[in-house]
Amino acid sequence: MGKTYERIDGRLRTFIEAQPIFFTATAPLSGYGTVNLSPKGLTGSFAVIDELTVAYLDFAGSNAETIAHLRENGRITLMWCAFQGPPNIVRVHGRGEPVFRDDPRFRDLLAHFPHIDPAQHGLRAVVVVTAALIRDTCGYAVPFMSYDEDRDLHAKRFAREDDASLDAYFHKKDHVATSLDGLPGLPLPLPPSTV
């Protein structure tokens, strides 16, 4: 039922780009560490950079587990499910890197997300993932669900923040600078935006 792909192109790319939600999974190297699974959404916040590279925007939030795990070991899996149309699940297993706001690559990476205003969501980083294994499976047990629209709550919450207040917000959270397992998370003070 499953198939392995050499690259993200054609039907596979079309499917991935059409999904309104995807999931990221990461874990620390420690066998006792906390596995993290996060939903990601917001139209326009994901991009296929090339046939083996994808990226998504990492927005403000009360944790930074994915960033911490990527900084420690780089392992990540992204997953998309078809909740409408033919059943399908696509996974991209690979190596990820958070590119922070003060990185010289940050501005060029943002060009891949023309429909997102970075100031509106407290953008922390662009997560870049290089695929090592690309597979799809049937998804026969995934239910049909309808997508109505993106929630506007994230933008309403973080659009009023500037760099100083966003940094203060992150400092108040227990698991932004340090993960649940004590790994380095988001660098604080928050790197200044280059855009």
Side-chain angles (χ1 to χ4, degrees), residues 6 27-28 35 41 51 73 82 95 104 115 118 123 127 146 152 154 171 192:
E6 291 185 14
V35 174
E51 294 177 334
N73 61 62
R95 307 289 296 172
H115 303 295
L123 184 60
V127 174
S146 65
D152 63 358
H154 197 274
H171 271 93

Side-chain angles (χ1 to χ4, degrees), residues 45-195:
S45 65
F46 172 83
V48 177
I49 306 295
D50 62 39
E51 294 177 334
L52 292 175
T53 312
V54 299
Y56 69 88
L57 302 178
D58 180 75
F59 297 122
S62 56
N63 288 306
E65 298 304 300
T66 301
I67 284 176
H69 296 159
L70 293 178
R71 290 181 72 189
E72 184 203 36
N73 61 62
R75 298 177 305 164
I76 189 168
T77 298
L78 308 178
M79 184 185 76
W80 296 262
C81 297
F83 295 111
Q84 299 174 345
N88 194 19
I89 298 171
V90 173
R91 290 180 182 87
V92 172
H93 305 265
R95 307 289 296 172
E97 175 191 10
V99 177
F100 297 113
R101 299 168 4 144
D102 59 345
D103 188 301
R105 300 170 293 168
F106 188 78
R107 181 183 294 275
D108 289 340
L109 285 168
L110 275 185
H112 293 280
F113 307 94
H115 303 295
I116 295 283
D117 176 359
Q120 227 179 9
H121 295 281
L123 184 60
R124 304 186 300 191
V126 177
V127 174
V128 179
V129 178
T130 303
L133 177 64
I134 306 161
R135 289 193 43 85
D136 71 355
T137 52
C138 67
Y140 290 167
V142 175
F144 284 110
M145 294 192 296
S146 65
Y147 166 73
D148 296 327
E149 62 186 18
D150 286 346
R151 295 177 192 260
D152 63 358
L153 297 174
H154 197 274
K156 285 181 177 177
R157 165 61 187 92
F158 289 102
R160 62 181 182 250
E161 304 287 356
D162 60 17
D163 280 359
S165 64
L166 199 55
D167 186 67
Y169 169 82
F170 292 144
H171 271 93
K172 287 187 227 172
K173 299 297 179 183
D174 291 337
H175 301 295
V176 171
T178 305
S179 77
L180 293 167
D181 300 312
L183 297 172
L186 185 69
L188 294 178
L190 183 66
S193 178
T194 60
V195 292

